[in-house]
Amino acid sequence: MADHTAIAFEQVQREELSRPGPGAGLAFSGGGIRSATFCLGVLQALALKGKLRSFDYLSTVSGGGYIGGWFSAWLHRKGIDKVEAELKKSAATGQPEPAEVQWLRRYSNYLTPRVGVLSADALTVVATWLRNVFLNALILVSLVGAVHFGLVAMLSVMDFLMHHPKFNGYLSLGLASMGLAAIVLNLTLAYRRVAPGEGAVQRQKWVLILSAVPLLSAAVTGGVWLLAQKFEPGQWVDFLPIALIAIVIALGVGSLGTLRSLGLSVSKLVAYMVSAGVALSVGVALCMLLIALWPYYPVDLAQSGAAFSANLVAPILTYGPSSMLLIFGICICLWIGLVGRQFSEDSREWWSRLGGWIIFLALCWMAITLLTFYVPAWIAAAHDLGSGWVNAMAGSVWLASIPVVLKLLGSNERGPQSNAKLKRLLLNLALSLFAIGIFVLIAAGTGSLINVLSGMNYPETASTRADYEDAFLKSLDSFSDLTLPFAPWLSPALAGASLGAAIALVLAWRVDINRFSLHNMYKNRLIRCYLGASNAQRKAQPFTGFDHQDDLPLMDLVTTAKGEPQRPFHIVNTALNLVQGAELAWQERKAASFVLTPKYCGFQLHPSQGNSRLSQQPSELPAFRPTAQYASQDPSGEDLGMTLGMAMATSGAAASPNQGYHSQPSLAVLMTFLNIRLGRWSPNPARGAWRQSSPTLGLSYLLAELSGNSNEARDFVYLSDGGHFENMAVYELVRRKCSVIVAVDCGADPTRAFEDLGNMIRKCRIDFGCEIEIDLSAMFAQGEAGLSQKSFAVGVIHYNKNDPQAPKGKLIYLKPTLKKERTESVDLLNYKSGDDSFPQQATADQWFDESQFESYRKLGFDIGCECLDELGDLL
């Protein structure tokens, strides 16, 4: 439930600055340690030129947040005077660097400071990852396994329904009536115009619950009822009453729903009833045709007792529901077509949307039943028929999909369009192969476990391909000989379903979704490197090397340790993932800006393209909460509020299953199962649980992460790398209408496409109505070497271009660049000669050596000094 005491952005902005008027902002972009090290050089240049005090805001994202956190922590502990004086010390002034900078050099390999695959640091990371993979995979595998076990146990229910066809027929009719009654209700209300927040029963969730789910259930039981018997002339006595009742219900549904809005004229009523009668007659004929064509028939029920073959049960449960839904869809299509012009367009659209969801549910049902009943048999038969090297090759191909995906994801090279398309194709194929393989393995394991527990095994030999069909049918017979209620596989299936569900629930309760991702591992190492640098009283734990005093509560950065207002005011940018959000205009973005600052944490969704609906939805209100109380309640006492280290790690959570506009469903499956999860589930400021640090039961959130179903409507929202929304950290400074913005763009851009700059300009125009003009002609790559004439440019921010008197802003844009004149220092040119990708090395490289660190720092310092010498009067 929404808590309407959340405050809007206007109040947040008023409290951020101690003086009125627009401020000046410094923005450090994403780009991992490459960005952090380059921006360190820029900070040193600003200090040397006496410009650090010119900024009111420091906006950071991802890798820029590393050095931004380092700078803010140092400011808080020592104050601006001390920091500026120390940052001036460098080779340019002939003074040794301060200890805080030397610390960064020491920990340039911040994830594993001790180099070597077998170092204690590297093995600790591996051990942490393996532990968390095991725990999270156990939750997911237990849950999926419980579904498979439940479907196997459901075979006994189907057997019962087969032996009681009258009961089954009326059960199917009752379920169908529920769904059809809900359809009548929705069609009756379909023409009522409702305000936002009203008309709950007409919303998609309730249409699915009240209409689609009962229809699917009716299709399951109805498929069993229809296909489990071969009708003889005497059986029509039992069939006709059910058919007549179905005809009456269908005629009622066909008439009442839409005629309420069109007027109950006799001609229209006749047209609807006749059309419904014809459609239903065709449906009955299709049912009879399906019975005639259905290849699986049981032995006489009166003589067979409780013995029933899975060659009947499993296929009916797999294909029966889809067949029934297909017939239902054909009848509806025929009915709508025969009614013709008298059927309204609104009703046709409503039926089409319902039909789409029914198709989706039918496909999901078929997929899970195929995995449960057929995949184990196929694998067993293939294992027996195929030679060892074929099976080994199949497994190797599946395992090879993982490094292929990681390689393609880690590559940031941009080549010709054809190469980009090929890369996307290979990535999608590899991701799909992995996702399918995971579920196939779980299904196979479930089937094997049931067979072992029930004392039955698949055929041991099938020497030739001619034996394939026989082996397949015998494999299915492992579900045979049902003797209710003591079928040999029923007890293991029920026990497996119960145990799997229990394991998933208990672990989801005890295994915190945030602490047992990679978030804390990543956070701890960032804190040690970037926040521990300025902790003069640091007392590391002797065995681990960590000191929890390195970190700072984010709210403490409002003032320095001496009680003075701390400037610049730090804004940490993260991405609020809206992979399945409500706003259609955000289907490309799939994310929004979520900021973490010393005073307030939260977000404000901007309606796109004139859509103002969002501002009226309680779950989507502009929502900011005081940082001092945000996420401050933790039963364990470990996480008592948002810290600078937590904010820094969340802002840099690039490797996450949900990645804003980079999100892909199959990628989410891979990253969730492999626990490559750096993002954080944080409390939703627009909801009542905003003080709670983490979900009490993380199962639904883990499934949302797996399925890419993150949005802004839950009690917790999924935050990831701010670059998944806007990678330059300029968006929030433009929102605050800063008069001057110095933007350091260190995102990976080997082809000088300026993608992050273009993305920022586009979003600021759409959301804030401002226009940013900047001339980049001197910064584009020149010649074969890809070098440029300049490393910076100046642009104009028109906050209101239609008003000549409106205030404007200046955008000073810097980018890591080697100029075609090759005027850089010898050591930079030497490093470039050894690595042609410098200064655009892959962001995946987070292990810098001394030469790499110094080259990026020196380049940032030189470009910063050059820019300030030419443009210093703008600050």
Side-chain angles (χ1 to χ4, degrees):
M1 181 176 180
D3 184 341
H4 295 289
T5 61
I7 66 172
F9 173 74
E10 290 71 22
Q11 180 180 343
V12 170
Q13 187 176 14
R14 284 195 299 269
E15 297 185 27
E16 286 179 346
L17 295 183
S18 56
R19 60 172 180 78
L26 176 62
F28 289 159
S29 80
I33 194 172
R34 180 188 64 243
S35 175
T37 311
F38 182 87
C39 291
L40 169 63
V42 174
L43 278 175
Q44 290 177 314
L46 289 169
L48 183 66
K49 302 297 182 179
K51 297 296 185 180
L52 276 182
R53 301 172 187 268
S54 303
F55 298 102
D56 300 287
Y57 291 106
L58 171 63
S59 181
T60 64
V61 61
S62 194
Y66 302 174
I67 203 66
W70 171 84
F71 180 58
S72 288
W74 195 8
L75 279 179
H76 175 76
R77 287 162 173 158
K78 299 297 183 181
I80 186 65
D81 294 332
K82 178 69 172 177
V83 170
E84 186 174 52
E86 291 295 307
L87 271 176
K88 288 180 180 180
K89 297 178 180 180
S90 66
T93 61
Q95 298 171 292
E97 286 181 330
E100 289 78 5
V101 176
Q102 295 175 14
W103 182 274
L104 294 184
R105 292 184 183 277
R106 187 181 310 165
Y107 281 93
S108 59
N109 287 315
Y110 69 94
L111 290 174
T112 55
R114 294 285 181 184
V115 297
V117 177
L118 296 180
S119 68
D121 288 329
L123 293 176
T124 299
V125 170
V126 171
T128 301
W129 175 71
L130 289 175
R131 177 197 67 198
N132 295 346
V133 165
F134 170 74
L135 291 173
N136 283 280
L138 186 57
I139 295 173
L140 294 171
V141 171
S142 297
L143 184 64
V144 177
V147 173
H148 288 304
F149 280 120
L151 280 173
V152 173
M154 191 176 176
L155 289 174
S156 63
V157 178
M158 296 301 103
D159 179 79
F160 172 82
L161 294 178
M162 288 177 183
H163 285 79
H164 300 81
K166 287 187 178 180
F167 171 80
N168 186 18
Y170 288 107
L171 173 64
S172 303
L173 188 61
L175 290 170
S177 299
M178 290 172 56
L180 293 174
I183 290 175
V184 171
L185 175 63
N186 270 280
L187 286 175
T188 302
L189 301 175
Y191 306 95
R192 290 179 53 193
R193 297 175 61 86
V194 296
E198 299 179 3
V201 73
Q202 296 173 248
R203 297 188 180 279
Q204 180 169 279
K205 178 178 72 172
W206 288 106
V207 171
L208 295 179
I209 292 174
L210 298 176
S211 301
V213 172
L215 287 176
L216 176 62
S217 302
V220 173
T221 57
V224 172
W225 173 73
L226 185 68
L227 298 178
Q229 51 189 310
K230 185 174 184 180
F231 290 111
E232 301 295 340
Q235 292 176 308
W236 284 94
V237 177
D238 296 331
F239 173 72
L240 283 177
I242 298 175
L244 291 174
I245 295 174
I247 290 174
V248 172
I249 292 177
L251 292 176
V253 170
S255 304
L256 297 179
T258 307
L259 286 180
R260 181 179 178 86
S261 64
L262 300 178
L264 293 173
S265 66
V266 175
S267 61
K268 291 180 180 178
L269 181 61
V270 171
Y272 273 68
M273 293 183 67
V274 171
S275 300
V278 172
L280 187 63
S281 299
V282 172
V284 172
L286 289 173
C287 288
M288 301 306 297
L289 179 63
L290 181 64
I291 294 172
L293 297 177
W294 187 251
Y296 300 101
Y297 297 112
V299 295
D300 187 358
L301 288 175
Q303 300 178 4
S304 64
F308 232 85
S309 172
N311 293 340
L312 174 72
V313 182
I316 286 180
L317 197 55
T318 302
Y319 302 110
S322 299
S323 301
M324 297 298 290
L325 289 175
L326 176 62
I327 292 173
F328 175 75
I330 292 173
C331 292
I332 294 299
C333 291
L334 184 59
W335 173 54
I336 294 174
L338 291 174
V339 172
R341 295 185 181 89
Q342 294 185 355
F343 207 107
S344 71
E345 183 63 27
D346 287 341
S347 294
R348 283 193 289 270
E349 285 290 344
W350 193 96
W351 276 108
S352 296
R353 175 59 64 94
L354 179 63
W357 273 106
I358 289 177
I359 291 172
F360 174 77
L361 292 175
L363 290 175
C364 289
W365 177 269
M366 183 173 287
I368 192 68
T369 49
L370 281 172
L371 282 171
T372 301
F373 302 129
Y374 286 84
V375 164
W378 289 341
I379 291 177
H383 180 270
D384 291 333
L385 291 172
S387 60
W389 68 269
V390 173
N391 297 325
M393 181 176 292
S396 299
V397 169
W398 179 75
L399 289 175
S401 66
I402 301 175
V404 168
V405 168
L406 296 179
K407 173 64 177 177
L408 292 172
L409 289 175
S411 172
N412 67 344
E413 296 289 338
R414 290 192 184 93
Q417 187 67 20
S418 58
N419 290 346
K421 290 181 178 179
L422 179 60
K423 174 183 171 182
R424 285 195 297 271
L425 176 62
L426 292 175
L427 178 60
N428 289 330
L429 286 175
L431 287 171
S432 300
L433 180 62
F434 176 84
I436 292 171
I438 281 288
F439 291 108
V440 166
L441 283 176
I442 297 175
T446 302
S448 299
L449 187 58
I450 289 177
N451 287 326
V452 170
L453 295 177
S454 59
M456 293 179 289
N457 294 293
Y458 289 124
E460 295 182 359
T461 59
S463 56
T464 66
R465 294 187 179 275
D467 295 331
Y468 175 80
E469 182 177 355
D470 183 58
F472 170 71
L473 294 177
K474 288 181 179 179
S475 297
L476 285 181
D477 281 337
S478 61
F479 293 115
S480 64
D481 299 327
L482 306 183
T483 307
L484 294 176
F486 303 109
W489 44 262
L490 178 59
S491 296
L494 290 175
S498 302
L499 182 60
I503 290 174
L505 288 173
V506 171
L507 285 179
W509 170 47
R510 301 304 302 166
V511 178
D512 187 273
I513 193 170
N514 290 323
R515 295 193 183 109
F516 289 89
S517 66
L518 289 181
H519 177 84
N520 275 15
M521 183 278 294
Y522 178 54
K523 177 191 73 176
N524 292 339
R525 282 148 183 80
L526 284 177
I527 290 171
R528 176 178 60 186
C529 175
Y530 289 96
L531 305 188
S534 57
N535 183 6
Q537 307 301 320
R538 193 171 196 274
K539 296 180 181 179
Q541 207 281 336
F543 185 61
T544 64
F546 293 101
D547 181 359
H548 70 276
Q549 294 297 329
D550 289 343
D551 202 1
L552 294 168
L554 186 58
M555 65 178 181
D556 286 0
L557 301 187
V558 173
T559 62
T560 65
K562 297 179 180 180
E564 302 167 346
Q566 182 166 328
R567 289 294 177 269
F569 183 84
H570 198 167
I571 301 170
V572 181
N573 296 268
T574 70
L576 166 60
N577 279 269
L578 305 171
V579 180
Q580 295 294 331
E583 176 52 57
L584 297 180
W586 292 336
Q587 290 181 101
E588 180 184 356
R589 298 185 179 191
K590 298 181 182 179
S593 175
F594 191 108
V595 297
L596 306 168
T597 77
K599 286 195 173 181
Y600 291 99
C601 298
F603 65 97
Q604 176 168 324
L605 302 183
H606 276 270
S608 299
Q609 301 174 356
N611 185 353
S612 60
R613 181 187 62 80
L614 293 178
S615 62
Q616 303 172 20
Q617 293 292 337
S619 66
E620 299 166 337
L621 288 171
F624 292 86
R625 298 290 183 171
T627 303
Q629 302 173 51
Y630 180 71
S632 60
Q633 295 179 354
D634 180 13
S636 70
E638 183 176 342
D639 292 335
L640 298 178
M642 182 62 62
T643 68
L644 177 58
M646 190 184 298
M648 187 168 60
T650 305
S651 176
S656 299
N658 294 189
Q659 305 180 25
Y661 59 87
H662 299 293
S663 300
Q664 299 182 54
S666 50
L667 178 60
V669 172
L670 180 144
M671 300 187 80
T672 304
F673 266 103
L674 295 184
N675 199 45
I676 306 175
R677 302 169 46 238
L678 295 179
R680 183 176 184 87
W681 286 98
S682 293
N684 188 345
R687 310 287 287 184
W690 63 275
R691 292 182 180 86
Q692 189 175 334
S693 65
S694 194
T696 302
L697 186 66
L699 182 58
S700 64
Y701 294 99
L702 188 62
L703 292 177
E705 205 169 341
L706 174 77
S707 61
N709 194 27
S710 54
N711 57 44
E712 78 290 0
R714 294 187 177 89
D715 285 341
F716 288 81
V717 293
Y718 191 70
L719 303 183
S720 65
D721 192 309
H724 296 156
F725 174 72
E726 194 272 300
N727 198 45
M728 284 186 59
V730 173
Y731 181 89
E732 289 294 333
L733 297 179
V734 172
R735 188 203 293 265
R736 288 159 174 79
K737 293 182 168 57
C738 288
S739 57
V740 178
I741 299 174
V742 175
V744 185
D745 179 7
C746 301
D749 189 12
T751 61
R752 310 292 283 186
F754 299 94
E755 180 180 347
D756 291 336
L757 178 63
N759 177 58
M760 180 272 294
I761 292 175
R762 191 178 303 116
K763 284 184 169 65
C764 288
R765 181 191 300 123
I766 293 172
D767 292 350
F768 307 131
C770 69
E771 193 69 52
I772 300 176
E773 298 175 348
I774 185 169
D775 182 6
L776 300 176
S777 57
M779 296 188 68
F780 280 107
Q782 307 285 328
E784 294 182 2
L787 304 178
S788 307
Q789 291 180 328
K790 300 196 72 171
S791 306
F792 57 89
V794 180
V796 179
I797 307 172
H798 298 277
Y799 289 111
N800 187 349
K801 196 170 185 179
N802 295 324
D803 182 3
Q805 305 301 319
K808 300 177 182 178
K810 292 290 185 181
L811 176 65
I812 302 175
Y813 176 74
L814 289 76
K815 193 175 184 68
T817 307
L818 293 180
K819 297 190 290 295
K820 66 177 184 178
E821 291 85 359
R822 298 184 180 273
T823 55
E824 291 81 11
S825 62
V826 173
D827 61 309
L828 288 179
L829 296 176
N830 170 259
Y831 189 82
K832 171 70 173 177
S833 68
D835 191 335
D836 192 56
S837 62
F838 177 78
Q840 295 294 335
Q841 291 163 318
T843 306
D845 180 8
Q846 294 292 291
W847 290 266
F848 271 26
D849 55 31
E850 182 181 24
S851 299
Q852 199 172 11
F853 182 94
E854 176 57 19
S855 296
Y856 278 103
R857 187 209 64 81
K858 182 64 165 62
L859 183 62
F861 179 77
D862 289 347
I863 292 176
C865 288
E866 181 184 357
C867 177
L868 291 170
D869 287 340
E870 185 174 329
L871 306 173
D873 58 333
L874 293 180
L875 291 177

